[in-house]
Amino acid sequence: MDIFLQQLINGLVLGSIYALVALGYTMVYGILELINFAHGEVTMIGAMVGLTVIGLIMGLAPDLPGILVVLGGVLVAIPACMLLAYSIEKVAYRPLRKAPRLAPLITAIGVSIVLQNVAMLVWGRQYISFPRILPEGQYELLGAHISYLQIFIVVLSLSVMASLWFLVQRTRLGRAMRATAQSKEVAALMGVDVDRVISATFLIGAAIAAVAGVMVSAYYGLAHYYMGFMLGLKAFSAAVLGGIGNIAGAMLGGMLLGIIEALGAGYIGDITGGFLGSHYQDVFAFFVLILVLVLRPSGLLGERVASRA
Amino acid sequence: MSLLAARRVKVAYGGIHAVRGVDLEIAEGELVCLIGANGAGKSSFLKGVMGLVHAHGEIQLGAQRISGLPTHAIARLGIALVPEGRGVFGRLSVRENLEMGAFTRKDKTGIRDDLDKVFGLFPRLAERSRQAAGTLSGGEQQMLAIGRALMSRPRLLLLDEPSMGLAPLMVHKIYATIADIAAQGVTILLVEQNANLALKTSQKAYVMESGVIRLHGPSAELAQDPMVRAAYLGE
């Protein structure tokens, strides 16, 4: 029983990070029907920039409280990712707006490979460790442990999601985004500058990804030029699970995927009689992806079927 | 001076010349109709005016040349198109659709007044203001599309086949509203297949055939024209 609760907590933490990254996939898909495969790499760049800045601040002001140092890293990672995503959209996707759908999709994969390699050149092949500067400690809950960092990650993720929800549902920009997602033509007839709405969507998704990138590297204690690949695929699976294009779906799908993965990793040893260990945890995300695509391609909350590219 | 002036407007897409040189003028305050058979190029002309498709030739709104501008810029200059098939945002609420109509406006009290006006014009929309627009009936969606266009306080209102697919009673209601809106001083270009109705409602008419204007003149005169009667009024 205690392992169940423990894995549930771990899953929620991981899931809230997946949810944040999944939002970037789903928002862009909602408007452009493009699976922006470079989004995982944008998250990775967020982690890398964040860690670099954290290292710089620690060198300059060694006495600063750890939480402020990390905050500084996040505050630089956010505009860095926004600038990156804005440029990607403008340079790589916008010229292909009227091209067949496969063209931007392949371009997205290309951009993601380029970003991985640039990151490898800049930060090297080795793992970069996240300094242990955040307050450590944990609470006990019915035999399970929940660390300060885990609480911090969940609370921050939930507040980011709540802010996004408010932005999309209650503001003028959010209304324009939802209108554009339904019809770019009619939105333009209302006076909406569709290109700007698309840029804004990329900017918002990237800002959230930057937060997720720093958090995931804090959680695992490391960052790596290749980390965006798996994280991106899992977040994409989470977005599909929730119903791609649907913002609430991405949040739900992320949380669920995190929980499924954590419970799967916790019990896979028991189920297979020790034949498979918890290092097979990555299998679950893709198992879920396959199941969703076979049984309910529109996802849990999705209305539209992602039948095309 | 005319509010909208189109000269030698051509629209072509995918190798098809949908509009092959249209001249058309609308004066301030007029209700003008553009009639013609299915495929005559009426909707393509409207799309060309709004910049949704590329149009060759000259299009002017007042003194300003609008041909070549992006759609959102044309909309901001004060032209509102109610597109064929209504184009309501199905997953947005009725109220949000109307708010989208006022997207470019900043005057909050004016928007509120206009919202009340639209709800006064179409009480059904007020009853359903929180409902998703996609759940409305065809006629209600047409009301919503017209109301949404009015929310921008347009200088020129373009209506593309407002009667299409509606029950006769609803068509009657929509046309009564169009006449009301015109009476309030809004300049309207009405595109219709239903020539009878359009000629009765409008002051001036253009008849379009295979991408060109065949005839134009006062609607009452065109309604008596033997060719129009034979081709469009089924006599």
Side-chain angles (χ1 to χ4, degrees):
Chain A
M1 185 58 203
D2 53 339
I3 171 183
F4 177 79
L5 189 61
Q6 186 64 57
Q7 290 305 88
L8 196 66
I9 291 170
N10 294 347
L12 267 177
V13 176
L14 205 54
S16 60
I17 295 175
Y18 291 161
L20 291 187
V21 183
L23 283 168
Y25 279 98
T26 227
M27 286 197 295
V28 166
Y29 187 88
I31 287 193
L32 288 181
E33 300 195 9
L34 162 72
I35 296 164
N36 176 19
F37 275 119
H39 190 63
E41 271 59 43
V42 172
T43 312
M44 174 273 292
I45 297 284
M48 291 301 199
V49 170
L51 266 174
T52 306
V53 172
I54 286 168
L56 282 177
I57 298 177
M58 285 171 69
L60 290 172
D63 300 327
L64 213 60
I67 194 123
L68 289 182
V69 178
V70 175
L71 187 70
V74 173
L75 288 182
V76 177
I78 289 174
C81 286
M82 289 169 89
L83 182 67
L84 177 66
Y86 178 82
S87 318
I88 293 171
E89 191 273 323
K90 196 142 195 178
V91 173
Y93 303 151
R94 190 168 298 183
L96 298 172
R97 193 75 58 73
K98 295 205 165 74
R101 302 157 54 88
L102 211 50
L105 186 75
I106 292 168
T107 306
I109 295 171
V111 170
S112 107
I113 294 171
V114 168
L115 289 179
Q116 274 175 25
N117 283 279
V118 168
M120 189 182 74
L121 289 173
V122 174
W123 286 283
R125 291 174 157 280
Q126 73 283 7
Y127 287 88
I128 303 172
S129 59
F130 196 97
R132 305 186 61 166
I133 51 174
L134 288 171
E136 288 178 29
Q138 58 189 26
Y139 293 105
E140 256 195 65
L141 187 78
L142 303 168
H145 300 290
I146 178 159
S147 70
Y148 294 167
L149 179 62
Q150 288 182 315
I151 295 172
F152 177 73
I153 288 175
V154 172
V155 170
L156 184 61
S157 303
L158 290 179
S159 18
V160 168
M161 287 187 248
S163 320
L164 179 72
W165 190 253
F166 179 82
L167 175 94
V168 170
Q169 296 297 328
R170 290 277 176 269
T171 67
R172 188 167 169 270
L173 172 64
R175 214 185 300 132
M177 285 169 69
R178 285 183 290 140
T180 306
Q182 291 188 45
S183 167
K184 289 196 256 305
E185 276 199 356
V186 182
L189 288 175
M190 304 293 121
V192 175
D193 185 341
V194 170
D195 281 340
R196 286 184 63 171
V197 168
I198 291 170
S199 288
T201 306
F202 275 85
L203 288 172
I204 294 165
I208 297 175
V211 175
V214 175
M215 285 201 295
V216 78
S217 59
Y219 191 49
Y220 286 128
L222 48 85
H224 185 235
Y225 79 95
Y226 206 60
M227 68 187 271
F229 177 71
M230 191 54 89
L231 183 60
L233 272 185
K234 285 185 185 170
F236 168 65
S237 309
V240 172
L241 171 62
I244 194 150
N246 184 310
I247 288 180
M251 298 177 184
L252 177 69
M255 291 293 186
L256 275 179
L257 195 73
I259 292 169
I260 291 168
E261 202 176 279
L263 290 180
Y267 288 106
I268 189 172
D270 294 347
I271 293 166
T272 61
F275 180 63
L276 297 175
S278 63
H279 48 278
Y280 277 91
Q281 74 167 56
D282 289 345
V283 166
F284 293 99
F286 306 114
F287 190 61
V288 168
L289 178 63
I290 292 167
L291 274 186
V292 171
L293 288 177
V294 170
L295 299 176
R296 192 176 159 82
S298 57
L300 296 174
L301 305 181
E303 298 134 64
R304 282 180 301 184
V305 179
S307 59
R308 292 162 291 178
Chain B
M1 196 177 84
S2 51
L3 179 61
L4 185 84
R7 277 174 222 100
R8 300 179 307 281
V9 170
K10 293 178 186 168
V11 174
Y13 30 50
I16 298 159
H17 297 271
V19 180
R20 302 184 300 159
V22 162
D23 290 77
L24 184 147
E25 281 194 33
I26 303 170
E28 195 99 39
E30 268 184 330
L31 201 176
V32 175
C33 75
L34 175 62
I35 57 176
N38 197 8
K42 308 183 299 294
S43 293
S44 299
F45 174 72
L46 290 187
K47 284 184 180 172
V49 169
M50 290 310 296
L52 288 171
V53 294
H54 180 72
H56 292 276
E58 279 286 318
I59 305 172
Q60 277 195 310
L61 181 72
Q64 179 147 22
R65 185 173 193 266
I66 59 166
S67 29
L69 294 179
T71 302
H72 65 90
I74 295 173
R76 285 173 190 194
L77 287 172
I79 309 186
L81 168 66
V82 177
E84 194 178 352
R86 294 124 202 165
V88 301
F89 300 112
R91 274 173 281 152
L92 268 57
S93 72
V94 167
R95 196 194 168 94
E96 284 177 326
N97 267 275
L98 294 171
E99 284 168 346
M100 278 310 296
F103 182 76
T104 56
R105 290 173 59 185
K106 299 274 190 285
D107 54 322
K108 281 197 171 164
T109 52
I111 293 175
R112 192 162 293 250
D113 290 348
D114 285 359
L115 201 59
D116 289 340
K117 251 189 225 166
V118 170
F119 283 152
L121 208 54
F122 302 114
R124 284 299 275 279
L125 297 183
E127 288 163 28
R128 299 177 179 223
S129 68
R130 294 172 151 275
Q131 215 168 304
T135 63
L136 299 182
S137 74
E140 289 164 349
Q141 289 193 15
Q142 188 64 61
M143 294 175 188
L144 179 56
I146 294 174
R148 184 179 63 181
L150 290 177
M151 289 299 292
S152 67
R153 287 205 181 158
R155 296 169 66 189
L156 174 63
L157 178 62
L158 309 177
L159 297 166
D160 196 354
E161 305 265 4
S163 75
M164 196 171 66
L166 300 184
L169 204 65
M170 189 57 84
V171 172
H172 184 76
K173 202 166 172 181
I174 294 283
Y175 265 79
T177 313
I178 293 172
D180 264 8
I181 295 166
Q184 287 167 26
V186 179
T187 311
I188 299 178
L189 174 59
L190 170 64
V191 164
E192 258 302 349
Q193 268 189 70
N194 187 336
N196 193 13
L197 206 53
L199 288 173
K200 273 184 194 153
T201 316
S202 58
Q203 293 132 27
K204 221 169 75 182
Y206 287 80
V207 180
M208 196 167 179
E209 231 177 73
S210 319
V212 295
I213 300 295
R214 277 277 173 258
L215 280 171
H216 67 99
S219 302
E221 278 176 30
L222 285 192
Q224 301 305 319
D225 185 278
M227 179 277 212
V228 173
R229 294 182 75 89
Y232 300 104
L233 301 177
E235 289 174 19

